[in-house]
Amino acid sequence: HTSAQNEDRQQLAAMMARYAGQTRELVLSLCPGYADHLRWGLTSFRPVEARGRESSRKKDDTRLHIDAFASRPNQGLRILRVFCNVNPHGELRAWELGEPFDAMARRIRDRIPPQWPGSAWLLERLHITKGRRSAYDHVMLNLHDQAKLDDDYQRISPKMRVEFPAQSTWLVFTDRVMHAALAGQFLLEQTFYLPVAAMQDQRCAPLRILEELYQRELA
């Protein structure tokens, strides 16, 4: 979605390609067991200031949320993201972290409507989603939306501020960590997907937490 052209566009693409390769090397240096399982997601560069951007409440990432994508269902894959604050002016990136995933899920689960029979097939056939929206995806998307839309939850939910200085890098399973990006500009971000079966402890996966909560398979 860049407006850059010619050499600027080429340099931007080269920078993002370098970042993608370097983040994979970083993840595998920390978690070598992921080597045969890690799947590529999107690479992003966010040069716009996070604070003060006009957005709907569902799309407002300054509100606490877990990551779930309306158009890109993943049927239970973990979402691992690598962030790097490359702000050239030395300005920090500010986040808030929320309550544990299982506490949030128990708080919100009764508001989640049932998934209509045949809806996943229809959404995929109409190309609204890139793949089948599983029961897991339905629940996760509703947890994302309900948390962002609930002003009372945003106000009273436990929060902890975390600041990432310029030139710092951090890794987060953003499908489980409640987070909000409050402020910061010039961010590189790489998304990876990881099958639950590749985890050392599958009980930490949102899929397994939700299956325990709902007492049924969801993927």
Side-chain angles (χ1 to χ4, degrees), residues 107 151-159:
R107 189 194 298 258
D151 291 335
D152 289 335
Y153 178 79
Q154 294 292 326
R155 185 177 67 256
I156 68 174
S157 179
K159 302 179 185 70

Side-chain angles (χ1 to χ4, degrees), residues 161-203:
R161 183 181 173 94
V162 180
E163 297 180 347
F164 301 99
Q167 309 309 317
S168 63
T169 299
W170 60 106
L171 290 72
V172 187
F173 276 114
T174 55
D175 54 350
R176 179 168 176 179
V177 176
M178 291 291 290
H179 61 285
L182 303 182
Q185 189 176 4
F186 302 108
L187 182 77
L188 281 164
E189 174 185 307
Q190 177 63 50
T191 299
F192 295 104
Y193 297 102
L194 183 74
V196 172
M199 297 178 62
Q200 287 191 331
D201 187 352
Q202 295 188 25
R203 293 173 299 177

Side-chain angles (χ1 to χ4, degrees), residues 73-76 115 120 132-139 218-219:
N74 61 37
Q75 293 92 41
Q115 187 178 24
R132 176 182 60 89
R133 181 180 289 177
S134 66
Y136 169 81
D137 294 305
H138 173 79
V139 172
L218 296 175

Side-chain angles (χ1 to χ4, degrees), residues 3-77:
S3 60
Q5 298 294 327
N6 304 321
E7 186 177 354
D8 287 343
R9 189 182 188 92
Q10 294 173 9
Q11 291 182 355
L12 177 62
M15 177 187 73
M16 295 176 68
R18 286 195 305 272
Y19 181 70
Q22 290 166 354
T23 56
R24 191 174 193 278
E25 291 177 3
L26 173 62
V27 172
L28 296 185
S29 71
L30 298 172
C31 306
Y34 292 174
D36 295 332
H37 308 283
L38 207 62
R39 306 181 188 180
W40 290 104
L42 296 178
T43 311
S44 303
F45 176 51
R46 300 171 183 258
V48 178
E49 169 62 53
R51 183 195 295 115
R53 294 182 63 187
E54 292 188 9
S55 178
S56 67
R57 288 192 297 172
K58 275 189 183 181
K59 295 182 179 180
D60 184 357
D61 286 342
T62 66
R63 300 171 75 86
L64 283 171
H65 64 284
I66 46 94
D67 280 348
F69 309 126
S71 64
R72 301 193 303 278
N74 61 37
Q75 293 92 41
L77 294 173

Side-chain angles (χ1 to χ4, degrees), residues 75-76 78 101 136 196 205-212 218-219:
Q75 293 92 41
R78 300 302 313 271
F101 177 88
Y136 169 81
V196 172
L207 175 63
R208 299 295 180 240
I209 295 170
L210 292 174
E211 287 180 336
E212 178 67 23
L218 296 175

